[in-house]
Amino acid sequence: MTVMNSYPQWQTLQRLSQQLPHMRSLFAEDPKRAEAMSVSAAGLMLDYSKNRVTTEVMQSLLAMAQSAGLKDKIGAMFAGERINTTEQRAVLHTALRASADSEIDVDGQNIVPEVQQTLAKMEAFVEAITSGEWRGYTGKAITDIVSIGIGGSFLGPKIATQALRPYWSGKLRCHFVANVDATSLVEKLKLVDPETTLFLMSSKSFGTQETLTNTLSARDWFLSQGGSQQDIAKHFAAITSNVAKATAFGMDEANIFPMWDWVGGRYSLWSAIGLPIALMVGMDNFRALLQGARDMDRHFVEAPLAQNMPVIMGMLSVWYSNFFNAQSHVVLTYDHYLRGLPAYFQQLDMESNGKSVTLDGERVDFNTGPVIWGGEGTNGQHAYHQLLHQGTALIPADFIMPLQSHNPLGEHHAQLASNCFGQTQALMQGRTFEEALAELAGSKLSDQDKAIIARHKVMDGNKPSNTLLMDKLTPQTLGALIALYEHRTFVQGVIWQINSFDQWGVELGKTLGNDVLARLGAAEESTDLDGSSNRLIRLFRQGHL
Ligand SMILES: O=P(O)(O)OC[C@H]1O[C@](O)(CO)[C@@H](O)[C@@H]1O
């Protein structure tokens, strides 16, 4: 028996999924549907009424969450149990934003004081850099940060910094480098002055190829521009759990910020990995970001399942993945500052739930994590929304929008909102054949042609969407929003009984990549790999086609 059909609610949900009326009817039957199917938490409001659910469906989905022991599993994560079983690690990104007086033990030791000390160290560092007290090797204040990292050590800080643009102190510029493609680094180095630049190397392991190569090249550049070996300490700092490697590199131990094995990379922006954010928006705003996440944590732990925003969103995703075979989920942000969020949620969810075996090592025979993608509204409306409306794939959507703009200008925000709400409405109600035909009433087409065109204009509707609103995008609401998606990811992992916190899938690619690297520069040509790989390596060595 598979995990999914061992739940007592499986049969009921199967049956309900096949008997659901169109959402148009559900709305017509119940004028208060939107009120009943909305929840608020941590400054966010979720309207999930435009989903293919009835009260009975929601009750069964929540009962399934109960059967999976979700409440206990939430408790286990927050308490620091080693729920990342394949790496024997606790999963405690929530400890990074816990209140200073909490006690969370790992191996018998309360980790909260260390978290707080790191925040204090970050605060002193941010103050020294932004006040100009910290001086470069020629005595000038720092003007530019080049943050080097990849994956979880890159995307969170980048996206959050971008999202919090209205809160930048204006004292620094921040540039992010991730890709090992030299172009990424070289183009950034063209923008900065070695005398006034601080390189922040973010790598939990201090061993990730891209980050190491970029940092070594940045150091070579620094040394070639007039800096000396002794000056490195003034221009390079690191966030890592591997202090020995960072000091061997030339960094001053005082400028090394700790990371812990109980923080997964894609969950790490709340740690010192978030230093670029703190440098750009100041420590008060960084703490407000933590506060927003903490508010969502409290809601996740305390709210009953039926009122629990991450639980509802997680269970809706399970509903579409496992009962409607949805393979994809789209995140649409109607706020230019949040344009990077879909990519961040993509990393968060796909690296977490892109798994094919259960915790017991059994192969799954049901869908796990869907493909997460998306972009900013309204741009997508003139591109991929066509497929959302009339394509053959069922793609549940999340629409995210602040009610107030940071840049109120004429009618812009009202137009943005009208597009956001109008899209959810169109997805839900669609357009019937009769409606399409009626629209063509005044045209000169023959009745036969009208019928053909009308068929092209039919939109089935009944396409699910969530709408997430907040008053305004602030550090606090951003923190709550990111924590919401972290917990939504966790909820799905619990139902599917997979480990959402390892990422073995990326390892083989890394190993083979290293093997290929050796072959690209080897004296002898490779002949022992598959034909395609041998040929690609030969072409690279040749340098032309
Ligand atoms: O912080 P590190 O150790 O450089 O790792 C970077 C990223 O590489 C991964 O291990 C795998 O790609 C991510 O999980 C992680 O965020």
Side-chain angles (χ1 to χ4, degrees), residues 150-153 202-205 208 211 265-266 351 503 506 510:
I150 199 159
S153 298
S202 303
S203 177
K204 184 173 155 181
S205 58
T208 305
T211 305
R266 54 194 174 273
E351 203 177 28
Q503 57 284 319
V506 300
K510 281 187 194 172

